């Protein structure tokens, strides 16, 4: 991981991971983590990241109550890890949903970008945390 450019180092880790752990706050206040696909961020050039999920998933009920979340990226080959803290919000714009639609998502039961159950989420980063050796790097985004 580069020491000179924290943001680019974080983006490099994000792009290198097939999956990411998404942590939200359950309705009873306890944290909950699950692994989600990171496919939409394979070519990321910023930390405004995107994910898809079902409109009726438990995470959507959680996020509608509290949009704050944590993304934990870990690359097992390089052993690089980064935590991103921010908020996840629903993208309702159909043109934006079409931009992120992939035909392979039909394998998950979606009929297209306009499928009522397909939800596009956009992550808005607020802070980050990662380590370079023993040094903890944190910052605002």
């Amino acid at each position: 991981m580069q020491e000179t450019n924290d943001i680019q180092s974080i983006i490099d880790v994000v792009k290198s991971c097939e999956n990411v752990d998404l942590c939200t706050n359950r309705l009873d206040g306890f944290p909950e983590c699950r692994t989600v696909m990171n496919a939409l961020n394979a070519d990321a050039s910023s930390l405004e990241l995107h994910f898809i999920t079902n409109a009726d998933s438990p995470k959507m009920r959680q996020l509608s109550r509290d949009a704050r979340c944590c993304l934990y990226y870990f690359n097992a080959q390089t052993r690089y890890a980064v935590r991103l803290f921010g908020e996840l919000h629903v993208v309702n714009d159909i043109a934006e949903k079409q931009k992120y639609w992939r035909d392979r998502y039909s394998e998950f039961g979606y009929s297209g970008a306009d499928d009522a159950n397909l939800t596009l989420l956009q992550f808005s980063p607020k802070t980050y945390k990662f380590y370079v050796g023993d040094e903890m790097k944190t910052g605002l985004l």
Side-chain angles (χ1 to χ4, degrees):
M1 192 172 275
Q2 302 173 21
E3 292 190 45
T4 55
N5 186 337
D6 289 352
I7 303 305
Q8 187 57 52
S9 294
I10 294 168
I11 291 170
D12 291 345
V13 172
V14 166
K15 290 167 53 172
S16 74
C17 295
E18 283 185 32
N19 299 303
V20 58
D21 291 329
L22 166 63
C23 302
T24 57
N25 296 298
R26 292 187 336 191
L27 300 180
D28 62 5
F30 285 94
E32 181 172 5
C33 294
R34 84 278 286 150
T35 301
V36 296
M37 277 188 329
N38 192 47
L40 296 180
N41 304 305
D43 297 321
S45 60
S46 78
L47 293 175
E48 292 214 351
L49 306 171
H50 292 85
F51 305 93
I52 62 165
T53 192
N54 291 342
D56 59 359
S57 73
K59 77 176 84 56
M60 289 306 300
R61 288 187 293 283
Q62 294 166 2
L63 291 168
S64 68
R65 186 175 86 25
D66 186 351
R68 294 176 301 164
C69 65
C70 175
L71 298 175
Y72 178 70
Y73 284 94
F74 176 72
N75 182 310
Q77 285 77 38
T78 63
R79 309 293 296 168
Y80 293 150
V82 65
R83 280 170 269 186
L84 298 172
F85 304 91
E87 296 182 352
L88 270 173
H89 296 284
V90 174
V91 175
N92 290 313
D93 179 47
I94 190 63
E96 192 74 2
K97 287 176 78 172
Q98 288 173 333
K99 176 179 162 186
Y100 288 97
W101 169 255
R102 307 293 185 266
D103 288 337
R104 68 180 178 269
Y105 297 157
S106 60
E107 296 173 20
F108 303 111
Y110 302 120
S111 60
D114 58 352
D115 188 310
N117 199 33
L118 176 71
T119 303
L120 177 65
L121 296 170
Q122 180 175 331
F123 178 74
S124 297
K126 305 293 182 203
T127 62
Y128 65 87
K129 179 179 179 178
F130 67 92
Y131 289 87
V132 175
D134 291 340
E135 181 185 359
M136 181 175 59
K137 302 267 195 165
T138 60
L140 299 173
L141 296 165

